[in-house]
Amino acid sequence: KISGKVINKKNVPMQGVNVFIDGTYDGALTNEKGEFIFETEAKENQVLKFILNGFIVSLNVDRLDNKNYCVVQGALLEL
């Protein structure tokens, strides 16, 4: 299972962000609080993708666990 929260640079939750593991069907949309959660069989060293309004941001992750992410001017920061 992987879960987390997506916020913008003003610390406002981002709703409707498609969060998924590249190359799989494992993913979810963020809710009104910017939170997402989904089940996966994927292990370490994956690419987590975030899509909103046609913008795609990829993040290499070495561990799939609870994380918070901040989208800043098209870049994605792990908090």
Side-chain angles (χ1 to χ4, degrees), residues 46-69:
Q46 298 294 324
V47 176
L48 199 56
K49 291 207 170 186
F50 299 78
I51 300 177
L52 179 66
N53 297 332
F55 292 98
I56 302 173
V57 179
S58 298
L59 178 69
N60 292 319
V61 290
D62 56 354
R63 287 185 54 201
L64 295 174
D65 53 13
N66 293 343
K67 298 281 184 181
N68 290 325
Y69 302 95

Side-chain angles (χ1 to χ4, degrees), residues 2-47:
I2 180 170
S3 62
K5 184 174 184 178
V6 180
I7 58 173
N8 67 16
K9 66 181 179 180
K10 295 181 180 178
N11 205 32
V12 176
M14 297 184 69
Q15 182 177 4
V17 178
N18 186 2
V19 182
F20 64 98
I21 298 171
D22 193 30
T24 75
Y25 293 105
D26 301 339
L29 289 175
T30 56
N31 63 18
E32 65 279 352
K33 297 177 184 176
E35 300 166 334
F36 65 91
I37 185 169
F38 60 90
E39 297 288 329
T40 184
E41 298 284 328
K43 302 296 180 202
E44 295 128 5
N45 300 318
Q46 298 294 324
V47 176

